[in-house]
Amino acid sequence: MTTTGVADWLRTGRSALVPLAVVIGLGTGLGAVGFRYLIEAITWLFTGTFDFSDAGRIGSPHFPGLGIWFLLIAPVIAGALYGPLVYRFAPEAKGHGVPEVMFAVAERGGRIAPRVAIVKAVASALCIGGGGSVGREGPIVQIGSALGSTLGQWTRLDAERLKVMVACGAAAGISATFNAPLAGPFFALELILRTFAAESFGAVVLASVTASIVARAILGDETFLQLPHFTVDHPAEYLLYIALGLIVGVLGVSFSRVLYLIEDLCDWAWRWPEWARPIVGGVLLGGLLLGVPQMYGVGYPILQKAVEGHYVVAALVGLLLAKMLATSLTIGIGGSGGVFAPTLFVGAMAGSAFGIVGHDVAPGIVGNAGAYGLVAMAAALAGATRAPVTSVVIIFELTGEYGIILPLMLAVAMAAGVSRLISEDTIYTRKLLRRGIDIDRAPERDLFTGVTVADAATAPPESIASSTSLEDAADALAGAEHAMLPVIDAHDGRYIGCVTAQGVAEALRIPHARAVTVEQVTALPDPVTADDPVDTALDALASHGTTGLPVLDADHSRVVGWITHADVLGALRR
């Protein structure tokens, strides 16, 4: 196959999505592993550990003499590095990433600038490694999506396929980060593409599985959390899980409100260059970290301890409120990182506290408090993002226990339902709505819907036979309404194409052209039938028919009408 043939196959062939999805999965899987190592390396440079959130109130060996006060300067140094980087090269890399991907798919045909992947990776790693209390999932979704978009643009895919490539990158990012190859596709389809088309599903699953294989080969087969065994000890617990879903669903919406309220306050207070905002804001974040060092970075070890029952209720509530404030402040000062993991964190704290209180009140009914923490993680995610399928699948996949399904589905359904009742937006769409972009709006009515070519076509001009001489054809065209006439076979009367005035005039300039018949200058434009939608006729008119085109019967053998741009406009007006 030639180079041109390969390029055409990649652009149009159904099976071409397979190698493209595999390449995206490989690239994103490696990118997720590299991004994780980069975060750990930068965290170590600042703190002397790979994850400082559970290290306690200790100093950093790399800042001798400062003691715990190094937490005040770590976010400032990080902000001085990533602030100018984001401002200069990719402003869209600021924030939590997923809304930008959703916008690219909904409004830009899946186009994301290639530089976003590099800038987002470096900026988010600096932010998280320097104390930013955000997640790594949002950045890797944006990184993977940028990789998918870049590959799609390089192979010159059309808009619909380019969107699928973006979704492949998003699915691969979630899969590689959580070691959850099933949750990745549902995240991409439910939040990024917002549709479950069969062709898209196959591609994103392939990318997700490939990325998970890559991550497992390098990092091992363990999930990012070691979660406790799940049991339902009493049927009455199902009622408690319904209540938990309602409470945590409201909490998920509240987290979204707090996030954007603090961002608004930061916008209102800041009057200087944007590149300096993370530097000055880093002082505030550092002050918060001094009080609650558990907020340093993503905080998975703290989440792990919460569902294992290592904290009392007061501590869990304090960590919940601190996480909401720390994440909101990190985003508000111009930080780069995701809100997916912080939402899980908030849910785990709330659910574990709920379980402890329930166990104290009704010890004969309520079992392990950590089970409520697990379910609340999904409920908080459903309340904040209104992605119930993703929320159920990701926690089920992380636990691998079928017994969790019923309480998980109950709580998630309640959380998503109450979220829809009290809020018109989600933690992702709210950012776009504030910029005047509503990706949930009802699509505008297509004026062409239901209009066929038969509704617009008029009577056809008289056809001419293929044996007609050029002089006679010129006479016929001179008296015709259109500068093109259909041509029929001189023997059986079947339609064989069209002849134009320009084609006849050019042929007549050639010496001895009078010996040529119309058949030699007949062209075959794209066929248009009476049952085709009018959109098809418009595409054909744009390519061939400035003066109109013949309308054919079902087997393309007879001319049954004629259609022009004016005819289409007339049909729409009617």
Side-chain angles (χ1 to χ4, degrees):
M1 186 180 292
T2 64
T3 303
T4 302
V6 172
D8 290 340
W9 172 70
L10 287 173
R11 283 194 295 271
T12 60
R14 286 184 176 272
S15 59
L17 291 177
V18 172
L20 292 174
V22 169
V23 171
I24 293 170
L26 286 171
T28 305
L30 292 172
V33 172
F35 181 57
R36 178 172 172 176
Y37 283 151
L38 184 59
I39 292 173
E40 291 179 351
I42 294 174
T43 303
W44 180 84
L45 287 174
F46 278 111
T47 69
T49 65
F50 293 117
D51 193 321
F52 187 77
S53 60
D54 66 337
R57 301 185 62 81
I58 62 173
S60 168
H62 300 148
F63 295 93
L66 289 179
I68 192 65
W69 290 93
F70 88 93
L71 290 173
L72 192 63
I73 66 168
V76 175
I77 296 174
L81 296 173
Y82 72 75
L85 175 69
V86 170
Y87 178 80
R88 172 65 180 83
F89 294 103
E92 60 267 46
K94 183 176 72 172
H96 42 106
V98 175
E100 283 71 23
V101 178
M102 296 168 71
F103 170 71
V105 169
E107 303 290 339
R108 300 187 59 194
R111 295 186 175 276
I112 302 174
R115 65 180 181 277
V116 170
I118 299 174
V119 175
K120 187 70 177 181
V122 176
S124 297
L126 285 167
C127 181
I128 296 170
S133 192
V134 285
R136 60 176 184 246
E137 299 76 21
I140 195 58
V141 166
Q142 195 171 11
I143 292 166
S145 297
L147 174 62
S149 179
T150 300
L151 179 61
Q153 292 178 66
W154 180 68
T155 52
R156 300 175 61 190
L157 298 183
D158 59 39
E160 291 307 311
R161 288 195 163 203
L162 188 58
K163 293 176 184 179
V164 175
M165 295 298 98
V166 171
C168 286
I174 291 293
S175 174
T177 301
F178 285 111
N179 195 5
L182 187 57
F186 284 107
F187 175 89
L189 296 172
E190 195 170 18
L191 286 172
I192 305 302
L193 283 183
R194 308 168 80 81
T195 180
F196 284 83
E199 186 178 43
S200 305
F201 186 79
V204 297
V205 165
L206 187 57
S208 176
V209 170
T210 303
S212 183
I213 291 172
V214 171
R216 291 184 184 193
I218 300 174
L219 300 175
D221 199 21
E222 293 184 356
T223 58
F224 78 107
L225 291 173
Q226 300 302 310
L227 300 175
H229 179 67
F230 183 92
T231 58
V232 177
D233 296 325
H234 195 283
E237 281 195 90
Y238 289 114
L239 296 176
L240 293 177
Y241 282 114
I242 291 175
L244 176 66
L246 293 172
I247 294 170
V248 177
V250 173
L251 186 63
V253 175
S254 301
F255 180 32
S256 174
R257 293 291 186 267
V258 170
L259 178 73
Y260 290 104
L261 174 62
I262 291 180
E263 188 171 359
D264 285 341
L265 289 174
C266 293
D267 290 340
W268 172 80
W270 188 250
R271 296 289 184 274
W272 296 274
E274 281 298 311
W275 62 265
R277 184 162 159 171
I279 304 173
V280 177
V283 178
L284 297 176
L285 180 59
L288 177 60
L289 294 176
L290 279 173
V292 194
Q294 293 93 335
M295 295 300 104
Y296 197 109
V298 180
Y300 282 144
I302 305 301
L303 193 159
Q304 177 89 41
K305 288 182 177 180
V307 296
E308 289 176 349
H310 291 284
Y311 298 113
V312 297
V313 172
L316 290 168
V317 173
L319 290 170
L320 183 156
L321 296 175
K323 191 65 173 182
M324 292 174 66
L325 179 59
T327 299
S328 302
L329 185 58
T330 302
I331 298 296
I333 65 174
S336 179
V339 295
F340 196 104
T343 303
L344 295 179
F345 187 102
V346 167
M349 300 303 122
S352 298
F354 183 95
I356 291 174
V357 172
H359 184 74
D360 291 341
V361 172
I365 295 177
V366 179
N368 182 3
Y372 289 84
L374 292 180
V375 172
M377 288 166 62
L381 192 62
T385 66
R386 278 211 293 273
V389 177
T390 301
S391 303
V392 169
V393 170
I394 194 167
I395 300 302
F396 173 66
E397 194 169 13
L398 291 176
T399 60
E401 297 186 32
Y402 185 76
I404 199 176
I405 283 293
L406 288 180
L408 189 61
M409 292 177 69
L410 280 174
V412 165
M414 293 299 104
V418 75
S419 172
R420 189 169 295 278
L421 281 175
I422 65 177
S423 176
E424 295 181 354
D425 51 52
T426 71
I427 200 168
Y428 293 139
T429 61
R430 188 170 182 81
K431 182 173 184 179
L432 299 177
L433 286 171
R434 287 150 59 92
R435 288 156 48 184
I437 302 165
D438 184 5
I439 63 173
D440 289 323
R441 68 185 183 276
E444 296 180 0
R445 186 176 70 89
D446 188 350
L447 294 176
F448 296 135
T449 301
V451 181
T452 65
V453 171
D455 297 323
T458 58
E462 186 174 349
S463 301
I464 59 176
S466 58
S467 59
T468 304
S469 66
L470 293 183
E471 291 91 339
D472 291 342
D475 292 339
L477 285 162
E481 182 181 355
H482 309 291
M484 179 162 56
L485 291 173
V487 179
I488 59 175
D489 189 277
H491 301 291
D492 57 15
R494 292 179 61 85
Y495 167 78
I496 63 171
C498 290
V499 63
T500 63
Q502 181 181 356
V504 170
E506 291 176 351
L508 285 171
R509 294 196 191 100
I510 302 172
H512 311 297
R514 286 170 176 77
V516 179
T517 64
V518 164
E519 187 173 7
Q520 278 71 53
V521 293
T522 295
L524 187 63
D526 292 343
V528 175
T529 67
D531 294 331
D532 285 338
V534 77
D535 304 61
T536 302
L538 284 175
D539 291 339
L541 285 166
S543 302
H544 306 286
T546 56
T547 61
L549 285 174
V551 179
L552 309 178
D553 60 6
D555 60 0
H556 300 177
S557 63
R558 295 288 186 271
V559 179
V560 296
W562 195 263
I563 190 167
T564 66
H565 286 99
D567 295 329
V568 174
L569 292 174
L572 295 178
R573 184 178 65 179
R574 291 192 296 272

